[in-house]
Amino acid sequence: MKQRKILVTGGAGFIGSNFVHTILEENQDVTVTVVDKLTYAGNLKNLDKWKGDPRFEFIKLDITDKSEVFSKLQNIEVNEIAHFAAESHVDRSILGPEEFVKTNLMGSFYMLELARKLYSQNGLRVFLHVSTDEVFGSLGEDGAFTEKTPYAPNSPYSASKAGSDHLVRAYFHTYGLPVITTNCSNNYGPFHFPEKLIPLMILNCLQGKPLPVYGTGENIRDWLFVKDHCLAIDLVMRDGKFGETYNIGTRNEKNNLDIVHKICELMDEKNPKGAPHKKLIQFVKDRPGHDFRYAIDPSKIENELGWKPKYKFEEAIEQTVDWFLENRSWWEEILSGEYNKYYESQYKELKS
Ligand code: NAD
Ligand code: DAU
C-alpha cells in the first residue's frame, strides 16, 4: 500500500479524535489532516498531543459550506477519507433538526462531491463513511441488526444519517467511488462529550448532581469501547470491500439502568465521599420516539475481515471513569461554558 495520507472530517470530536490517536500511534508512515468546524462538540484540546507533529495538520472548515470545502480541499494531497463529521446528539436533533439535515446530509453530500473530484484527479483509494445502528430503527426483545436489516430511522438524527448512507451507496453505484460505510453501536471512552449518557452520569456523580434516567431506564444499548471501534474502522479502510457496509459492535447489550448502576458502583469506589451515588438517580420524562433496543450482529466483520475487539467491558468502563477523573480540566472547561446552559434547560424540561 502507498503511504497513507488520511483526511479525517470531524477529527476534533469524540470518535474522530480517538481515531486520529489510534492511526498516529499505531502507524509511523501515515499523515493525518483533520478538518473540523469546531462546533460545541469539537475541541482542539482533544488533539493537543499532535500539535507540531509533522504527520499532523488541522484545517478549520465547515463541511456545509461548499465553496469553503472546494477552495480549501480540492488540491489537497490525501488518498483516503474517513468521514466522521456530524451533528451526533439525538436529543438536540429533537430540539432543532435543521442543523442535522444541513451537516449530516448536505455536508456529507459536499464531502462526496469533493471525494469524486479527488478520485478523478489522483485516484482516491477509499472514502469511509461512519454511520450508526440507529438507521435500522428499534428492536424488540430479540434479534440483532445485520447489514441486511431494512432502514427504519425514527429520530431526525437517525433519518439524516440514513439519508447520508443512501447518498454514499449511490456514489458507488453511479460514479464507482470506492466507498465503504460502517454502522456501529453506542461508543464510550475518553473525550466523550458530557451530554451523552455515560460521561453525563460520571460527571454528575462527581458533582453530586441528579442522574436523570429517561422513562423506566429499561431501554437497551449495545456498548462499544471507542478504541475497539477505531481499530475496526482502520481495518475496514484497509481490507473492506468497496460498496459494502459493515456493522461494528461487541455483543455488549445493557439496559440504561444497569449502566447507571455500574457507574455508581465504580464511583463509590473511586469517589467514596459521594457514596452511595445511587441515591442521585432520578427518573425523568422519556425521550420522544425513544428507540427501545439496539443490538449489532458483528458476524460479517468478524468472519470476512477477522476482526476481534481487544477490550472487555469491565476494564474499558473503568478506564473510561479513570480518564474523566484524571482529566478534570478538560471537562471543567466544557461545563463552565455554553454547554451548561443547554444542560440546565434540558434538565428543567425533563423534570417538568
Ligand atoms: P461528536 O459530536 O463528538 O463530534 C462531531 C465532530 O464533527 C465535532 O468535532 C464537530 O465540531 C464536527 N462537526 C460538526 N459539524 C461540522 C461541520 N458542519 N463541518 C465540520 N465539522 C463539523 O460526534 P461523535 O460521537 O464523535 O460521532 C462521530 C461520528 O460517528 C458521527 O458521524 C456519528 O453519527 C457517528 N456515530 C457516533 C456514535 C456514538 O456513539 N458517539 C455511534 C455511531 C455512530
Ligand atoms: O447507537 C448509536 C448512537 O448512540 C449514535 O449514533 C449517536 O450519535 C449517539 O449519541 C448514541 O445515541 P443514543 O441516543 O443511544 O445515546 P445517548 O447517550 O444520548 O443515550 C443513551 C441512552 O441513555 C438512551 O436510551 C437515552 C438514555 N439517556 C440519555 C441521557 C443523555 C438517559 O436515560 N438519560 C440521559 O440523561
Side-chain angles (χ1 to χ4, degrees):
M1 198 186 281
K2 273 206 315 211
Q3 191 201 4
R4 298 175 75 192
K5 297 179 180 174
I6 311 177
L7 181 72
V8 180
T9 74
F14 163 46
I15 308 177
S17 62
N18 275 284
F19 179 73
V20 173
H21 295 305
T22 301
I23 286 290
L24 291 175
E25 281 160 10
E26 302 274 321
N27 310 279
Q28 273 314 306
D29 194 22
V30 62
T31 65
V32 166
T33 301
V34 167
V35 297
D36 199 296
K37 179 183 174 184
L38 300 179
T39 66
Y40 79 92
N43 187 347
L44 267 185
K45 293 230 162 70
N46 299 1
L47 299 167
D48 258 359
K49 181 172 175 187
W50 306 107
K51 232 195 224 164
D53 189 307
R55 295 178 301 153
F56 173 79
E57 176 188 22
F58 176 79
I59 300 173
K60 189 167 187 297
L61 179 150
D62 179 351
I63 61 164
T64 70
D65 184 335
K66 185 180 178 185
S67 60
E68 196 183 24
V69 167
F70 277 83
S71 63
K72 290 191 176 168
L73 301 179
Q74 67 179 340
N75 293 316
I76 194 158
E77 267 196 53
V78 295
N79 46 31
E80 302 186 19
I81 297 179
H83 177 41
F84 292 87
E87 287 294 335
S88 69
H89 195 42
V90 174
D91 291 331
R92 289 189 193 246
S93 83
I94 296 167
L95 291 172
E98 190 167 352
E99 218 43 42
F100 286 71
V101 175
K102 277 192 196 154
T103 298
N104 300 357
L105 201 51
M106 291 308 290
S108 295
F109 166 59
Y110 295 139
M111 287 313 299
L112 284 164
E113 280 293 272
L114 174 83
R116 192 152 77 92
K117 186 159 185 35
L118 296 180
Y119 181 58
S120 69
Q121 281 169 191
N122 313 316
L124 187 77
R125 206 189 64 76
V126 62
F127 180 100
L128 189 287
H129 174 59
V130 180
S131 190
T132 170
D133 59 359
E134 297 199 13
V135 296
F136 301 122
S138 184
L139 291 164
E141 299 288 343
D142 308 312
F145 301 130
T146 72
E147 289 75 4
K148 296 200 165 72
T149 304
Y151 274 38
N154 293 318
S155 71
Y157 162 71
S158 52
S160 65
K161 291 295 289 185
S164 64
D165 292 8
H166 291 320
L167 277 174
V168 170
R169 178 191 154 89
Y171 271 60
F172 173 74
H173 287 280
T174 308
Y175 303 114
L177 197 69
V179 302
I180 308 178
T181 294
T182 52
N183 297 84
C184 72
S185 55
N186 288 61
N187 284 225
Y188 65 99
F191 304 108
H192 206 176
F193 194 80
E195 67 195 348
K196 307 292 195 319
L197 180 75
I198 288 184
L200 182 77
M201 295 299 155
I202 298 171
L203 298 182
N204 282 13
C205 278
L206 274 173
Q207 299 169 95
K209 283 178 148 183
L211 308 177
V213 173
Y214 298 171
T216 60
E218 288 165 311
N219 298 63
I220 293 169
R221 298 292 182 264
D222 187 354
W223 293 94
L224 166 66
F225 191 44
V226 68
K227 294 187 184 183
D228 275 328
H229 182 203
C230 292
L231 288 168
I233 291 177
D234 189 23
L235 176 69
V236 172
M237 288 177 83
R238 290 165 187 269
D239 295 344
K241 266 172 104 179
F242 302 136
E244 303 240 338
T245 69
Y246 294 85
N247 284 0
I248 306 174
T250 49
R251 299 189 177 86
N252 185 39
E253 290 180 56
K254 310 254 178 248
N255 80 28
N256 293 339
L257 207 50
D258 288 341
I259 287 285
V260 175
H261 284 155
K262 179 71 200 171
I263 290 168
C264 288
E265 233 175 71
L266 285 165
M267 293 306 294
D268 287 351
E269 208 181 296
K270 292 169 191 285
N271 181 49
K273 66 179 191 305
H277 293 86
K278 258 186 184 176
K279 67 175 187 284
L280 298 172
I281 292 175
Q282 192 176 70
F283 290 93
V284 295
K285 253 195 217 165
D286 209 351
R287 173 186 279 173
H290 196 173
D291 285 339
F292 173 62
R293 175 172 164 258
Y294 305 140
I296 286 269
D297 176 353
S299 304
K300 178 175 174 182
I301 186 171
E302 288 171 345
N303 297 336
E304 293 186 13
L305 304 186
W307 182 67
K308 265 204 219 109
K310 261 174 83 170
Y311 298 87
K312 297 248 179 312
F313 178 70
E314 291 295 322
E315 58 172 307
I317 189 72
E318 184 165 0
Q319 262 194 42
T320 303
V321 168
D322 288 342
W323 187 87
F324 281 92
L325 290 170
E326 286 156 16
N327 289 275
R328 215 181 165 96
S329 64
W330 181 88
W331 56 263
E332 275 180 347
E333 193 175 322
I334 295 170
L335 264 45
S336 64
E338 265 301 295
Y339 166 69
N340 197 43
K341 256 198 237 149
Y342 161 80
Y343 178 70
E344 290 305 334
S345 79
Q346 172 77 351
Y347 176 64
K348 203 162 135 198
E349 162 58 24
L350 287 168
K351 270 194 323 178
S352 64

